[in-house]
Amino acid sequence: MPTNEIRIPKQKRSIEKKDAIIVASYELFCEKGYYKTNTAEIAKAANVSTGIVYNYFHDKHDILKEVIGLYISRLESEFRTTLSRQIQKEDLHNLVKELLDALITSHTMNVSAHNEFMALALLDPEIQNYFVAFEARLLAQIKELLISAEFSSCFLEEKLRIAFGIIEQLCHDYIQQIIDEAQLSRSKIVAVQAITSLIEMDVEPEIK
């Protein structure tokens, strides 16, 4: 069990030091990988002593959680503009296209970060929960936006999860270079039409 007493920074200088540690860690984890980075390297990159690192974090895993939080906040910023406005039913095609483009951008803005953090999520349930919560928040916002535009709420959550799966697969195929730019452009057209049709589809609950 960690025994160091963690300080919560309140003054500007202390907050800046903690933020510097998180940013330095983010960059090192992307460059070298989480497991190949040690706290001494983090301290040097952040221009603080190793002791200062342990003033704010129990251990490297504690830092990782803050780094994942930073990464997810950057992901969420990609959707803020699109999800902060009201839409009409006839805007659905453009909304889906905007969300698709935003998801592709969020995957490609730092491919090394995406690959490293997704690999860690497969091994660490606590880290995986960060991404599960991010997906849940994103889909809940999209659902609320669609309901406000008077789309049926029936099976809407299930439709959005299927749609998200389609887009995730497309994004992964692209960043793993399974498909090229031309194939991505064609796939985006198919995905937008498929997801638009899926959301507009009437689904009747089975009566048992």
Side-chain angles (χ1 to χ4, degrees):
M1 294 289 292
T3 57
N4 53 308
E5 184 177 346
I6 301 304
R7 289 170 49 191
I8 299 175
K10 296 180 181 179
Q11 296 185 357
K12 181 181 177 182
R13 184 171 174 79
S14 298
I15 293 170
E16 287 174 349
K17 284 182 179 180
K18 182 175 181 180
D19 289 344
I21 293 167
I22 296 168
V23 171
S25 300
Y26 178 95
E27 293 172 353
L28 284 168
F29 292 166
C30 293
E31 178 186 343
K32 298 183 61 177
Y34 170 71
Y35 291 109
K36 293 182 179 179
T37 300
N38 60 50
T39 51
E41 292 170 317
I42 292 170
K44 182 179 179 180
N47 199 29
V48 299
S49 68
T50 304
I52 291 293
V53 173
Y54 286 110
N55 278 343
Y56 301 123
F57 303 96
H58 286 299
D59 51 29
K60 192 172 71 168
H61 189 268
D62 208 16
I63 300 172
L64 175 62
K65 291 187 289 184
E66 293 277 3
V67 168
I68 296 296
L70 172 63
Y71 177 66
I72 288 177
S73 72
R74 292 177 177 179
L75 295 182
E76 290 178 324
S77 69
E78 294 294 328
F79 304 95
R80 196 162 291 129
T81 300
T82 300
L83 296 176
S84 62
R85 70 173 193 271
Q86 295 298 310
I87 67 163
Q88 305 297 320
K89 271 196 170 183
E90 56 268 25
D91 298 327
L92 179 60
H93 184 275
N94 288 334
L95 173 67
V96 172
K97 187 176 184 300
E98 284 183 35
L99 290 171
L100 174 57
D101 286 338
L103 274 164
I104 291 172
T105 299
S106 73
H107 280 74
T108 57
M109 68 180 185
N110 191 329
V111 174
S112 59
H114 174 273
N115 291 342
E116 179 68 13
F117 299 149
M118 290 300 100
L120 290 169
L122 291 174
L123 300 171
D124 188 330
E126 189 173 6
I127 298 305
Q128 185 179 56
N129 286 339
Y130 278 76
F131 289 101
V132 170
F134 160 67
E135 180 181 327
R137 288 195 302 272
L138 178 61
L139 295 185
Q141 287 178 283
I142 298 171
K143 180 180 178 181
E144 183 179 335
L145 189 61
L146 292 174
I147 290 175
S148 71
E150 299 185 342
F151 284 93
S152 172
S153 62
C154 184
F155 288 107
L156 184 54
E157 184 174 338
E158 289 74 18
K159 291 177 181 179
L160 290 175
R161 290 201 173 277
I162 292 170
F164 191 79
I166 292 171
I167 297 173
E168 280 280 286
Q169 185 62 56
L170 176 58
C171 292
H172 291 161
D173 285 349
Y174 179 59
I175 64 175
Q176 293 168 11
Q177 299 182 338
I178 296 172
I179 61 175
D180 59 22
E181 289 283 352
Q183 291 171 311
L184 175 65
S185 295
R186 294 194 296 271
S187 296
K188 283 169 62 177
I189 294 170
V190 175
V192 169
Q193 291 182 357
I195 292 169
T196 300
S197 298
L198 176 64
I199 293 172
E200 293 176 331
M201 180 191 303
D202 288 327
V203 181
E204 292 295 332
E206 292 185 2
I207 300 176
K208 296 184 179 180

